[in-house]
Amino acid sequence: MSARLEHDADNQHDAIAQEQKAVDAAYARRDELLTQANQQLADILADDEVGVARLASVRRWRAELEHAERGLVFGRLDSLDGSTRRLGRIGLPDPVEDNEPLVLDWRARAARAFYTATPLDPQGYARRRHIRLDGRDVIRVDDEPLDPSLPGTDLVGEGALLAALSARRTGTMGTAIATLQREQDDIVRAPANQPLVVQGGPGTGKTVVALHRVAYLLFDQPELARQGVLVIGPSRRFLDYIAQVLPALGETSVVAMTLDTLIPGVETRLPETREVAEIKGRDAWQPALTAYVRSLRPQPAPLTVAIDGEQVTVDGDRVQRAIDASAGRDYHAARRRFIDTMHDALTDGVIALHDQLVASMEEGFEDILAGVDAGLARADNRGVLLGVSGGEVDGSLTDADIERLRTRIADDTVVAGALEKFWPTLDAETTLSRLLGDCGLLTHFMPWLTDGERNQVLRAPDLDTKGQVAPSDLPLLDAIADALGEAHGSNDAQGEFVAHRAADRRDWVYGHVVIDEAQELSAMQWHMVGRRVPSRSVTAVGDIDQAETPHRHTTWEQAVSVAFGDRWRRADLTICYRTPREVMALTPPVLKAAGSHNHPPRAMRDSGYQPWEVSATEEVLIATTARLAAELTERWAGGTVGVIAPSDRLTALRSELPALPVLAATEAKGLEWDATLVVDPGGICREPRGWNGLYVALTRCTQELGQVLLAP
């Protein structure tokens, strides 16, 4: 070993020992605080007087302490004045009250220099140190100088970002706090008072930025925890991929879903073509569906109800006024208001009938009235139990009599049935099926559909689709459910956030929504997202050049204007950390063929592996792919290998390669492997938006790219 290498090894050993001492102290403090949190929780649960907010606060703090077991400390900042700050996944106060924190929470404003300081702008710091842990053991230290005057011999290791990029992929997204760079950190900490759209090409860290933004906002704006944060990913596979990130950051106030699971109890199993999906995704459906649901309200007409054998009629004018008074509400809220008004009107009708009866009694008043009262008091659920008291004396009804009468009318099953027939409660799925199964309704409410488009959308009216819809039906169903509202008004108050409770409710209002692969959303899907966050506190990340869905937008302005108008901001990620220069060099002509006007992101490193190609005939394509995949798997042992192919080849390839992920380009979006094998790239290009798909396929690797070309 050379003297230089020995010196570096000694420095690394000393630095590890120094940091291990600090890490041991941090874990001891964390364990102490966790014990205290458990005791506080036990005390709270034993005290009936403690409020829900206090209970939730202690539970969140305990959860953060529990999740912080993994990678508690990851960084250190050395200032020019000689002071030192260590950063971690949560903040840990020093046992001595007036001392600096033992560990500074990475989301704290005082920690921002760890991500933003550079040699050109050191912000008062001399060195940034990255600390890598295995469990509770420090295994490596990497230093970055921030001030040129710092002697180079005092530095150890290599820059943490490059170290992270060269590490093997394991299939689970790592917590990249320690390698956030400045343009990423600016987005993480951006204000959340308006929609933020983040454009970033492959490997620019869009998802990492979005998830760390969630953690930061929950730390910086604790009120968001009371409503929760919704993270929308493109697939269940993708959500599994990122599953460990937010818990590792100590955040539990999050619901992670795909667009297809936003409505509880509805499954997107019905098949559909790309053409139908494009038609149903258009913005014009939103006003059309609103008008359709509004048309389902009843028309004014006299309303007659049998009450205790007598016909009580509410005249058309009063029905008209009741319908008009319910305007401006959703369908079922208007119905509830109308029914309340009808209960009053029917009560007035019974009173009028009673008064007429009393006025007509000229002889034998007491005997006749007693008979009437006895009839009205029968315990018969077909009628109203009047149960008067004042009338037993002189025939006049007291206020208490009238109130009892109204209550009994409201509870009467015959009255309820008559009102249900006049203004029925509606089910969103049945209401949508009726529309999609009726050519006349489609023609009336969607006159902008061509005859061919209408025929594609039209569904057999007798098709039983209860609980199942096509993916593009889901936003239509959500729009109808929103216009209908809750049938019984029982979900008006959502209360304290609990993840499973929020996930079980279609109408939960979140404090913030994060959308990954946002370029794939149709106009109607954007409306569906917007209903879940009326504040428009949204972070949408994606790459408009990776769009593969059939919707026609090609710019972010076209994509998000339906939901946000012009009140949104854009931020760009321009540096590719994942995909090496050798691979990114292949992408400009692919983007041009896809119709893009954007430049690919700038790759910041070389991998040392030149992309390669192998040709194979149709007869040996599968066997050749299997052989090459085996070679890559051996070469990247400890890491991951992924295979991407045209959709029509997936079944055969998956049968041959059961141990590897074999995906279409649409399924691979957002994922990464050490090595990627792209099979039949020409076949990918022939698929809808195929050049966009090939751009996705080529940019999934962190090290090595191979392509299996189909030989003529």
Side-chain angles (χ1 to χ4, degrees):
M1 182 182 292
S2 69
R4 175 63 183 172
L5 291 177
E6 288 181 358
H7 182 270
D8 289 346
D10 289 342
N11 279 356
Q12 182 73 219
H13 181 272
D14 292 344
I16 287 176
Q18 181 187 36
E19 297 306 329
Q20 186 67 61
K21 183 178 179 181
V23 167
D24 289 343
Y27 272 106
R29 181 63 170 151
R30 173 260 185 188
D31 294 344
E32 176 187 358
L33 292 171
L34 182 57
T35 299
Q36 293 176 11
N38 284 326
Q39 184 58 54
Q40 289 179 30
L41 185 60
D43 293 343
I44 289 172
L45 292 174
D47 185 354
D48 295 336
E49 300 298 321
V50 177
V52 174
R54 173 63 177 159
L55 176 61
S57 175
V58 173
R59 278 178 169 163
R60 282 195 296 270
W61 173 230
R62 184 184 67 166
E64 286 204 351
L65 289 166
E66 288 176 339
H67 290 305
E69 171 65 31
R70 179 174 174 268
L72 177 61
V73 180
F74 61 75
R76 188 178 102 177
L77 276 173
D78 295 348
S79 67
L80 293 172
D81 64 12
S83 62
T84 296
R85 284 176 167 169
R86 285 181 173 81
L87 283 73
R89 306 196 186 285
I90 62 171
L92 295 175
D94 192 276
V96 179
E97 186 173 343
D98 294 333
N99 286 359
E100 288 287 317
L102 200 62
V103 178
L104 184 65
D105 194 300
W106 74 274
R107 296 158 292 192
R109 286 180 172 82
R112 191 167 192 234
F114 187 81
Y115 311 105
T116 60
T118 67
L120 294 177
D121 180 21
Q123 301 178 34
Y125 290 94
R127 172 171 56 188
R128 173 171 43 224
R129 169 169 286 182
H130 301 265
I131 303 165
R132 296 175 62 190
L133 301 183
D134 182 5
R136 295 190 175 195
D137 297 327
V138 179
I139 60 172
R140 185 171 179 82
V141 171
D142 295 305
D143 286 342
E144 296 177 70
L146 297 174
D147 188 281
S149 64
L150 184 69
T153 55
D154 290 340
L155 299 173
V156 294
E158 62 179 330
L161 178 62
L162 293 178
L165 290 170
S166 61
R168 292 286 195 269
R169 263 45 189 174
T170 63
T172 301
M173 179 174 288
T175 318
I177 300 170
T179 55
L180 285 178
Q181 299 299 289
R182 183 162 189 159
E183 72 174 6
Q184 296 176 325
D185 188 70
D186 287 342
I187 294 170
V188 167
R189 298 169 192 269
N193 56 356
Q194 66 180 132
L196 176 65
V197 176
V198 180
Q199 162 64 28
T204 54
K206 299 182 293 294
T207 301
V208 167
V209 167
L211 296 177
H212 286 82
R213 178 163 168 77
V214 171
Y216 172 76
L217 290 176
L218 285 167
F219 177 81
D220 189 58
Q221 302 178 28
E223 65 275 9
L224 289 181
R226 290 192 290 273
Q227 293 177 278
V229 173
L230 174 64
V231 176
I232 300 175
S235 66
R236 187 69 253 175
R237 178 189 293 268
F238 177 80
L239 294 181
D240 293 341
Y241 182 58
I242 66 170
Q244 293 187 16
V245 173
L246 285 171
L249 297 175
E251 303 304 346
T252 56
S253 300
V254 175
V255 171
M257 297 179 124
T258 64
L259 284 166
D260 288 350
T261 58
L262 283 182
I263 302 182
V266 178
E267 298 180 358
T268 53
R269 290 185 175 181
L270 296 184
E272 65 181 354
T273 65
R274 286 177 62 88
E275 291 77 9
V276 170
E278 188 279 320
I279 295 168
K280 291 182 181 177
R282 296 175 190 172
D283 183 47
W285 283 87
Q286 182 59 46
L289 292 173
T290 301
Y292 166 56
V293 172
R294 190 181 299 118
S295 74
L296 301 177
R297 301 188 183 197
Q299 295 300 309
L303 177 63
T304 299
V305 180
I307 299 179
D308 225 20
E310 297 291 340
Q311 300 295 310
V312 180
T313 299
V314 181
D315 64 64
D317 288 343
R318 189 160 184 179
V319 171
Q320 172 77 70
R321 291 195 299 273
I323 292 174
D324 292 344
S326 67
R329 296 171 172 83
D330 63 52
Y331 177 93
H332 285 123
R335 180 182 181 276
R336 290 192 295 274
R337 172 68 182 269
F338 172 80
I339 287 175
D340 282 345
T341 304
M342 286 299 98
H343 288 161
D344 292 337
L346 290 170
T347 301
D348 292 344
V350 172
I351 292 171
L353 188 63
H354 174 269
D355 290 345
Q356 291 173 10
L357 183 60
V358 170
S360 67
M361 295 176 182
E362 298 178 351
E363 296 179 356
F365 174 82
E366 291 81 359
D367 293 339
I368 297 174
L369 183 57
V372 171
D373 288 345
L376 291 175
R378 286 196 303 270
D380 185 344
N381 64 7
R382 295 172 301 169
V384 178
L385 307 182
L386 182 56
V388 297
S389 58
E392 294 173 355
V393 179
D394 59 5
S396 62
L397 300 178
T398 67
D399 290 342
D401 292 333
I402 294 172
E403 184 58 34
R404 281 195 297 271
L405 172 61
R406 191 193 186 284
T407 299
R408 288 165 177 165
I409 286 175
D411 293 339
D412 184 74
T413 57
V414 173
V415 173
L419 293 176
E420 172 68 23
K421 183 177 180 181
F422 186 84
W423 191 326
T425 54
L426 296 177
D427 169 77
E429 292 179 60
T430 303
T431 303
L432 177 61
S433 294
R434 177 190 171 205
L435 173 67
L436 297 181
D438 190 317
C439 185
L441 288 175
L442 287 172
T443 301
H444 178 75
F445 289 104
M446 289 81 180
W448 38 268
L449 289 173
T450 67
D451 291 342
E453 290 172 341
R454 188 180 307 110
N455 289 334
Q456 290 185 77
V457 169
L458 193 62
R459 178 183 298 167
D462 58 347
L463 182 63
D464 182 10
T465 62
K466 190 67 175 177
Q468 299 181 32
V469 297
S472 65
D473 287 336
L474 200 71
L476 310 186
L477 183 63
D478 193 67
I480 285 180
D482 186 68
L484 289 176
E486 293 295 330
H488 305 292
S490 58
N491 287 337
D492 293 339
Q494 59 186 40
E496 189 76 14
F497 175 85
V498 178
H500 69 83
R501 182 170 65 191
D504 287 343
R505 281 186 47 179
R506 185 204 66 82
D507 62 340
W508 190 273
V509 174
Y510 291 90
H512 191 79
V513 172
V514 171
I515 313 158
D516 198 44
E517 302 295 352
Q519 75 277 358
E520 305 297 350
L521 271 64
S522 69
M524 288 303 295
Q525 287 172 327
W526 278 111
H527 284 300
M528 182 165 61
V529 171
R531 280 188 282 274
R532 282 148 181 82
V533 57
S535 67
R536 297 299 187 261
S537 182
V538 172
T539 300
V541 302
D543 180 3
I544 204 70
D545 292 323
Q546 293 187 60
E548 294 181 288
T549 50
H551 319 303
R552 296 173 179 175
H553 54 255
T554 57
T555 68
W556 283 116
E557 288 76 13
Q558 295 170 343
V560 303
S561 61
V562 296
F564 307 139
D566 58 0
R567 292 173 297 189
W568 56 280
R569 294 185 300 113
R570 171 171 168 163
D572 288 81
L573 293 168
T574 62
I575 301 172
C576 175
Y577 300 101
R578 177 184 67 215
T579 312
R581 288 191 185 96
E582 296 92 335
V583 173
M584 290 307 296
L586 302 177
T587 60
V590 176
L591 282 178
K592 183 177 180 180
S596 170
H597 300 286
N598 298 322
H599 296 289
R602 294 178 290 115
M604 66 166 294
R605 67 186 181 91
D606 300 308
S607 70
Y609 293 88
Q610 287 296 327
W612 49 266
E613 299 176 352
V614 171
S615 294
T617 62
E618 186 68 54
E619 291 74 17
V620 298
L621 183 71
I622 301 297
T624 301
T625 299
R627 174 176 58 82
L628 295 172
E631 293 174 1
L632 285 174
T633 301
E634 182 178 357
R635 186 153 57 244
W636 294 100
T640 57
V641 175
V643 179
I644 303 177
S647 298
D648 59 2
R649 296 190 182 277
L650 294 179
T651 299
L653 285 169
R654 286 170 177 165
S655 176
E656 191 69 22
L657 301 169
L660 291 180
V662 179
L663 307 173
T666 54
E667 298 172 312
K669 196 171 299 177
L671 305 180
E672 62 182 45
W673 304 283
D674 294 287
T676 303
L677 189 60
V678 179
V679 181
D680 187 11
I684 294 175
C685 291
R686 288 189 292 274
E687 294 181 325
R689 287 210 178 189
W691 287 101
N692 300 82
L694 183 60
Y695 180 54
V696 171
L698 295 178
T699 54
R700 297 305 96 197
C701 71
T702 65
Q703 304 294 338
E704 184 176 0
L705 170 68
Q707 298 186 69
V708 185
L709 308 182
L710 183 62

